[in-house]
Amino acid sequence: MITIFNEHHALHHGVELNDGVVMTCWESPSRAELVLERVRAADLGNVIPAVAHDEAAYARVHGDAYLRHLVTAWPDWCASGFTNPALPLVWPIHALRGDREPRHIEGRLGYFAMDAGCSIAENTWQAVRGSADTALTGAAQVLAGAASAFALCRPPGHHAGRNYMGGYCYLNNAAIAAQALRDGGAARVAALDVDFHHGNGTQDVFYDRGDVFFASLHGDPRVSYPYFLGYEDERGAGPGLDCTANFPLQPGTTWETYAVALQDACTRIRSFGAEALVVSLGVDTFVGDPISSFALQSEDYLRMGAMIARLDLPTLFVFEGGYAVGEIGVNVVNTLLGFESR
Ligand code: SP5
Ligand code: ZN
């Protein structure tokens, strides 16, 4: 399996609130380097650089005002006299006006974000678009006939909605890739999200569409981030009704329980008639993950990959979360090796 890598990912290193204090993000540059190291050590296949794409490819999934904000946030932040990484501090929740984009950067940061997990600094945009380009390069590989490909994206993408960032995610790499597969000729595409956290952004992008199926296995939103989406009764809307499937799972979930839900998700994808598959591959389901609560073991990822392979679809794996850096490489590459063992 070919791996696509963007060496400029490390230009982005975020900060977030942790226990009330601004600290270095769990989502660190070392994550991608450790996965790449393991890809090479396991001889998974060739590693190629991401090909730069036009912003038009991102605009197939994201709104123009949001994309403009991503490009201008840092310069506007600096123009307002700020010098440290930009973070939002006020949001248009519930009864507040969510229909007006403020002009001032302080207001815009909240308008276009679901949380304070996405700091923006000088080179953030460059790394973010490199990550989307990584996914797009992977989609191109699959469209050109590759049975599978691994887009080693960083920063991740699945929490980013059509018009907002959140949870370390700015552009939704998996959604952008799924759309590229549609535009490249796949009539029906499935996005399967196995990151510990609900893929709220991907769900947002495709919720009312009947051409892209979205399935997510994740920590129950009653007790797990992102808290405000990912319930079982979210099934899609309009032409997309029953093209969204959510599998909230409880803290402590092991492979035995996880496998049943994953099998269900795969059955739904099969009966949907997908012609191509995008897997949002987060390994924060690992027992040792510092911010999550499932209990998968490293060997379980071999089984996960093998189960996904049984769908027998052209498959693009897109890297998402996973914060147990000691095992992150083994867990990701085990999934890919399990897939290839079919
Ligand atoms: C891509 C991805 O995996 N994003 C996850 C973002 C999670 N951000 C909020 C994490 C809050 C965790 N608090 C957990 C405390 C555990 N002791
Ligand atoms: Zn996650």
Side-chain angles (χ1 to χ4, degrees), residues 16 115 156 158-159 167-169 195 197 225 284 290-291 320-323:
E16 67 181 322
D115 70 0
H158 75 146
H159 293 304
Y168 315 140
C169 305
D195 185 282
H197 304 98
Y225 179 94
D284 35 15
I291 63 169
E320 302 281 3
Y323 309 98

Side-chain angles (χ1 to χ4, degrees), residues 98-185:
D99 61 332
R100 291 293 186 101
E101 177 188 338
R103 198 160 53 232
H104 195 282
I105 183 61
E106 205 168 84
R108 264 169 48 215
L109 285 169
Y111 185 76
F112 289 115
M114 63 180 273
D115 70 0
C118 289
S119 64
I120 294 176
E122 186 172 4
N123 298 315
T124 301
W125 174 238
Q126 197 186 334
V128 164
R129 59 179 306 176
S131 191
D133 290 342
T134 302
L136 284 164
T137 307
Q141 289 285 328
V142 170
L143 285 169
S148 63
F150 173 42
L152 211 177
C153 295
R154 183 185 170 272
H158 75 146
H159 293 304
R162 172 166 291 278
N163 295 309
Y164 64 88
M165 61 187 77
Y168 315 140
C169 305
Y170 303 78
L171 291 176
N172 193 316
N173 308 314
I176 289 169
Q179 183 63 50
L181 291 171
R182 281 285 296 109
D183 293 340

Side-chain angles (χ1 to χ4, degrees), residues 58-280:
Y58 321 149
R60 295 286 294 140
V61 157
H62 295 285
D64 293 337
Y66 176 56
L67 288 173
R68 203 175 326 117
H69 170 66
L70 278 172
V71 175
T72 57
W74 177 251
D76 288 358
W77 180 250
C78 294
S80 290
F82 300 118
T83 55
N84 292 299
L87 282 177
L89 77 170
V90 56
W91 288 272
I93 64 154
H94 307 306
L96 301 188
R97 290 291 293 265
D99 61 332
R100 291 293 186 101
E101 177 188 338
R103 198 160 53 232
H104 195 282
I105 183 61
E106 205 168 84
R108 264 169 48 215
L109 285 169
Y111 185 76
F112 289 115
M114 63 180 273
D115 70 0
C118 289
S119 64
I120 294 176
E122 186 172 4
N123 298 315
T124 301
W125 174 238
Q126 197 186 334
V128 164
R129 59 179 306 176
S131 191
D133 290 342
T134 302
L136 284 164
T137 307
Q141 289 285 328
V142 170
L143 285 169
S148 63
F150 173 42
L152 211 177
C153 295
R154 183 185 170 272
H158 75 146
H159 293 304
R162 172 166 291 278
N163 295 309
Y164 64 88
M165 61 187 77
Y168 315 140
C169 305
Y170 303 78
L171 291 176
N172 193 316
N173 308 314
I176 289 169
Q179 183 63 50
L181 291 171
R182 281 285 296 109
D183 293 340
R188 297 186 143 218
V189 174
L192 170 65
D193 193 318
V194 297
D195 185 282
F196 169 80
H197 304 98
H198 176 246
N200 61 280
T202 314
Q203 176 168 310
D204 174 60
V205 169
F206 297 118
Y207 203 64
D208 58 4
R209 284 175 49 175
D211 58 333
V212 179
F213 191 90
F214 174 70
S216 180
L217 284 68
H218 50 268
D220 190 324
R222 291 166 188 83
V223 292
S224 299
Y225 179 94
Y227 299 113
F228 305 113
L229 212 65
Y231 287 84
E232 214 159 34
D233 63 356
E234 297 155 23
R235 296 167 42 203
L241 186 62
D242 285 322
C243 296
T244 289
N246 281 302
F247 300 86
L249 299 165
Q250 298 315 303
T253 290
T254 57
W255 174 250
E256 194 186 3
T257 313
Y258 194 91
V260 175
L262 182 58
Q263 194 52 66
D264 276 7
C266 289
T267 302
R268 292 287 305 275
I269 288 169
R270 193 188 300 276
S271 48
F272 172 73
E275 294 176 7
L277 175 67
V278 175
V279 179
S280 267

Side-chain angles (χ1 to χ4, degrees), residues 270-334:
R270 193 188 300 276
S271 48
F272 172 73
E275 294 176 7
L277 175 67
V278 175
V279 179
S280 267
L281 177 57
V283 292
D284 35 15
T285 47
F286 179 58
V287 63
D289 195 273
I291 63 169
S292 308
S293 64
F294 287 176
L296 299 198
Q297 308 286 335
S298 291
E299 308 74 56
D300 294 332
Y301 293 97
L302 291 163
R303 303 184 178 105
M304 187 186 296
M307 196 178 275
I308 293 168
R310 264 177 246 130
L311 283 169
D312 199 20
L313 290 171
T315 300
L316 174 65
F317 288 92
V318 174
F319 187 39
E320 302 281 3
Y323 309 98
V325 287
E327 295 87 357
I328 193 168
V330 169
N331 294 343
V332 168
V333 175
N334 271 4

